[in-house]
Amino acid sequence: MVPPLIPRQVLFGNPERFSPQVSPGGQHLTYIAPDDRNILQVWICPLSGSKPGPARCLTSDPKRGIRSYFWTYQANRLIYLQDMDGDENFHLYLVDIGTNEVRDITPFEGVRAQMVALESSVPDVILVGLNKRDPRQHDVYRIHLITGQVELDTENPGSVIAWTADSRLQVRAALSSRPDGGTDLWQRRSSEAPWQTIIQWDPDDQGAPVHFSEDGRTLYLLGSHGVNAQRLLAREADTGQEKVLAEDPEYDVSAVLVHPARHVIQAVAFYRDKMQWQALDPEIAPDLERLATAHPGEMTISRQDLRDQLWLVAYAVDNGPVTYYLYDRLMRELTFLFSQRPALEKYGLAWIDPITLPARDGLTLHGYLTLPVGLPAKNLPTVLLVHGGPWGRDHWGFNTMAQWLANRGYAVLQVNFRGSTGYGKKFLNAGNREWAGKMHDDLIDGVRWLIQKEIADPKRVAIMGASFGGYATLVGLTFTPDVFCCGVDIVGPSNLITLIQTIPPYWGPLKAIFARRVGIVEQDEAFIKSRSPLFFVDRIVVPLLIAQGANDPRVKRAESDQIVEAMRKNGKPVEYLVYADEGHGFARPANRRHFYGRAEAFLAKYLGGRVEPEDDIQGHSAEVR
């Protein structure tokens, strides 16, 4: 039996509650939820043991809504991040939970703030990265939470892309990019000591500092040197001796759990088809076993109090919303808090199945397949949904877009093509210089695999994605125009030359990675041009929908403007939506609902799926061009 249509408001409106955190002292629970204007705010409630009391709204963001926040180690203050209409120049706002007073502690126009560290041993100070001195690089500043004083702590010599502080809030490690695309790990004995290069990762390797031990004499780090996949290592500062703490021959370490006060590594996770945890601290092994058997979902531990007694635990399933629990380690008690989207629980959602398939050159590819509920898995209209990055990957669990598409009657194929992360360096590096090459071949091989299984109707396959997924959509319609019947591009670049030339200034140290993995504009212009869909619009023969945020700092609006202009000059069918108050993706619910309403009608027209009538959406900022 085919389930009823899930309203887009339920799928793409604001979650009811998400991102819970417990305060360091364990006295409060916070989370993000809409206020009476449907704008996401931070809410707070008291905790008595593991039982939350009445909640109240703590913040009053005027428009965009809050999506990221964290507690300081002052008992009465937390911090949230916010930018202006998607420009990604995030400011840090300090909130007093007693008075609800909000103060911008990085009030610098055109400057992007990045959290570096905060420590319970120094509760009145945080370390923040600011590209205030030079927009191309982030220096480390000490911000005094009581006075608001901002002072330079560590100056960036021009190549550092990540900083790590010790338990005394001293910057002791840094990850530095090299012109050849490799990275160096720097370390120093104190904030006054000179930097020393302790590891040099070549361009094909991966690595990064993670954390210091309590005494500062051991640096925990991830690294793939000498092996295929990133493993967790402990490196002694005095001797340079490395000890392997956790490894897998095929999969990178994907998460690390650290004791909030003792600074010991408690557990690691490997993301295979699903996330799997491995205890390193014997003290928490019974807790992980208890949590693994308490719920069928994929477990994430998101926050602990300083005593490490209270854990916030999230469980993700494929056919339902994320649910959140508070776990009391002393009592071994798991208390349900709330569901992210309880309105979804009454609908029949689809299963998301892990899949494995061979690429044409023999490389093993992994991914996920979502089939519509109540329909035979035969000759289905299909959407190839391509992830962004491209240095990321698709995961198992609830996926809003996959569930929306499946509910409308489409099979949904997600392929972790070569160049995706998490599968070790061989798989990652197999994507070097393969944009619109073998990376795209992997996507096409996935479609052909699904057609051979007679699941997908070869005449009704669409391609859709955001960021790199939007680029892949443009590639699909220009490089393989006979495979797809339509495409939906969300904030995707059309010209790799202009993409590289216009990336944000603070991505400067990362340009070497683009040079290694995409190409060097000055040397490889012809090659890069040959992988840019803009120059092949004459090949497009099927309809295309493009959506763009006007303030996108990563993929500038010009990337979409130029291909729309070229298509219209060539008489090609294209619909174009520009959202005036969005950046790299759509944060405001009115804009999300508007876009997905248009996308749903577009897909139904060319794939034949079900469609919910478009509703009257107030407050969206779309310009239909």
Side-chain angles (χ1 to χ4, degrees):
M1 180 178 177
V2 178
L5 284 173
I6 305 173
R8 287 188 299 274
Q9 167 62 23
V10 173
L11 286 163
F12 299 111
N14 279 329
E16 184 171 299
R17 283 177 286 187
F18 69 105
S19 191
Q21 295 188 27
V22 62
S23 64
Q27 301 98 335
H28 296 96
L29 174 74
T30 47
Y31 54 84
I32 297 177
D35 62 11
D36 57 7
R37 301 166 297 161
N38 197 32
I39 298 174
L40 294 175
Q41 309 288 357
V42 179
W43 292 65
I44 189 169
C45 57
L47 274 180
S48 177
S50 58
K51 307 296 182 184
R56 63 182 175 87
C57 189
L58 188 58
T59 60
S60 56
D61 187 79
K63 177 184 178 182
R64 192 161 175 79
I66 297 167
R67 284 160 184 81
S68 179
Y69 76 100
F70 54 89
W71 279 90
T72 73
Y73 285 107
Q74 292 184 328
N76 64 331
R77 289 189 173 98
L78 56 80
I79 288 174
Y80 70 86
L81 288 78
Q82 188 59 281
D83 68 350
M84 179 64 70
D85 290 339
D87 67 2
E88 297 189 12
N89 287 325
F90 292 101
H91 288 218
L92 300 182
Y93 294 86
L94 186 67
V95 185
D96 187 302
I97 67 171
T99 65
N100 286 33
E101 178 188 0
V102 176
R103 179 159 47 101
D104 184 353
I105 59 174
T106 58
F108 311 113
E109 186 176 353
V111 173
R112 175 186 172 98
Q114 300 175 338
M115 271 304 304
V116 174
L118 66 168
E119 285 291 343
S120 59
S121 63
V122 193
D124 297 335
V125 177
I126 61 173
L127 295 182
V128 177
L130 298 172
N131 59 339
K132 177 171 169 283
R133 180 182 60 86
D134 185 332
R136 296 169 298 178
Q137 57 205 33
H138 282 75
D139 304 314
V140 180
Y141 289 80
R142 301 179 80 84
I143 298 182
H144 298 261
L145 299 179
I146 295 175
T147 66
Q149 180 184 359
V150 179
E151 58 184 14
L152 181 64
D153 180 276
T154 304
E155 187 171 305
N156 193 330
S159 59
V160 173
I161 55 178
W163 306 94
T164 303
D166 64 15
S167 64
R168 292 161 185 80
L169 216 58
Q170 303 295 309
V171 177
R172 296 269 317 284
L175 187 66
S176 171
S177 67
R178 296 200 310 269
D180 67 352
T183 50
D184 293 338
L185 179 58
W186 296 350
Q187 186 173 311
R188 59 185 179 182
R189 294 183 179 274
S190 70
S191 57
E192 291 79 29
W195 290 107
Q196 294 181 324
T197 300
I198 60 172
I199 297 178
Q200 290 186 301
W201 284 296
D202 68 38
D204 287 338
D205 268 314
Q206 297 174 277
V210 174
H211 206 74
F212 277 97
S213 62
E214 172 65 21
D215 61 10
R217 298 178 64 180
T218 302
L219 175 62
Y220 301 108
L221 60 108
L222 300 176
S224 64
H225 47 289
V227 292
N228 175 49
Q230 285 195 91
R231 50 189 180 175
L232 180 65
L233 305 166
R235 181 184 174 91
E236 297 304 317
D238 292 336
T239 66
Q241 184 177 357
E242 291 182 353
K243 178 183 178 182
V244 178
L245 301 182
E247 64 180 333
D248 184 281
E250 184 178 353
Y251 296 93
D252 299 322
V253 171
S254 61
V256 180
L257 184 67
V258 182
H259 191 287
R262 293 193 291 115
H263 298 276
V264 298
I265 304 293
Q266 297 176 293
V268 298
F270 295 93
Y271 208 109
R272 299 176 175 97
D273 287 338
K274 302 176 184 178
M275 182 176 282
Q276 297 173 343
W277 285 91
Q278 175 185 334
L280 300 183
D281 182 352
E283 287 188 14
I284 72 160
D287 299 299
L288 294 184
E289 292 175 8
R290 161 85 172 90
L291 293 171
T293 57
H295 193 283
E298 180 184 278
M299 176 184 67
T300 302
I301 301 166
S302 61
R303 183 77 189 209
Q304 311 128 284
D305 68 342
L306 272 174
R307 300 170 299 166
D308 200 36
Q309 179 178 330
L310 297 176
W311 288 1
L312 257 303
V313 181
Y315 287 103
V317 296
D318 54 349
N319 63 340
V322 175
T323 51
Y324 300 95
Y325 293 77
L326 192 63
Y327 175 61
D328 188 322
R329 291 186 59 221
L330 184 64
M331 304 300 295
R332 295 283 195 269
E333 182 179 77
L334 193 65
T335 302
F336 173 76
L337 294 176
F338 46 78
S339 165
Q340 187 178 95
R341 294 181 182 269
L344 278 173
E345 294 171 4
K346 67 179 183 179
Y347 293 98
L349 299 178
W351 302 98
I352 295 180
D353 294 320
I355 58 171
T356 301
L357 60 108
R360 65 189 68 180
D361 62 358
L363 189 67
T364 298
L365 305 174
H366 300 273
Y368 301 92
L369 176 63
T370 308
L371 297 175
V373 177
L375 294 177
K378 189 174 181 65
N379 290 325
L380 290 168
T382 297
V383 176
L384 173 63
L385 186 60
V386 187
H387 72 69
W391 307 303
R393 60 161 286 178
D394 283 314
H395 298 84
W396 184 82
F398 180 77
N399 183 300
T400 303
M401 289 180 69
Q403 292 292 345
W404 162 63
L405 292 166
N407 181 257
R408 272 45 178 174
Y410 309 124
V412 184
L413 176 64
Q414 297 169 275
V415 178
N416 283 325
F417 46 84
R418 70 192 69 203
S420 301
T421 55
Y423 297 98
K425 65 186 181 186
K426 292 178 182 177
F427 192 84
L428 173 66
N429 293 320
N432 290 352
R433 297 175 65 88
E434 293 296 345
W435 289 42
K438 292 180 180 179
M439 294 165 75
H440 187 65
D441 290 345
D442 292 345
L443 296 173
I444 300 303
D445 290 346
V447 172
R448 289 174 177 166
W449 173 82
L450 207 59
I451 291 171
Q452 289 170 359
K453 289 185 170 293
E454 299 184 345
I455 295 174
D457 179 348
K459 295 182 179 179
R460 292 187 296 163
V461 179
I463 182 169
M464 179 176 186
S467 194
F468 178 86
Y471 164 80
T473 296
L474 301 179
V475 171
L477 300 196
T478 51
F479 285 69
T480 50
D482 58 330
V483 174
F484 303 104
C485 66
C486 63
V488 180
D489 156 30
I490 309 166
V491 297
S494 62
N495 181 351
L496 298 182
I497 295 173
T498 50
L499 171 72
I500 295 169
Q501 290 173 335
T502 61
I503 60 176
Y506 48 83
W507 281 18
L510 298 174
K511 279 190 175 181
I513 296 175
F514 275 85
R516 175 81 176 175
R517 301 198 184 282
V518 183
I520 302 171
V521 172
E522 296 77 13
Q523 299 176 15
D524 305 316
E525 183 174 356
F527 170 73
I528 298 173
K529 187 175 180 180
S530 75
R531 301 298 176 92
S532 298
L534 176 64
F535 304 104
F536 304 97
V537 292
D538 58 304
R539 299 178 182 176
I540 297 177
V541 295
V542 298
L544 173 63
L545 171 64
I546 295 178
Q548 177 70 43
N551 307 310
D552 191 339
R554 307 186 196 187
V555 178
K556 299 291 194 297
R557 173 177 173 169
E559 290 298 319
S560 293
D561 285 350
Q562 61 192 352
I563 196 167
V564 169
E565 181 182 0
M567 289 183 68
R568 287 178 174 161
K569 282 183 178 178
N570 283 268
K572 302 297 181 179
V574 60
E575 299 179 33
Y576 188 27
L577 305 172
V578 179
Y579 293 86
D581 52 5
E582 296 287 5
H584 198 61
F586 310 137
R588 296 186 59 239
N591 292 335
R592 289 198 302 271
R593 287 175 56 203
H594 179 270
F595 165 70
Y596 285 105
R598 295 295 295 263
E600 184 171 303
F602 177 87
L603 292 171
K605 183 176 180 179
Y606 300 108
L607 288 181
R610 302 194 298 172
V611 60
E612 178 191 12
E614 289 194 51
D615 49 358
D616 182 21
I617 300 169
Q618 302 297 317
H620 73 79
S621 68
E623 174 191 353
V624 182
R625 297 186 59 206

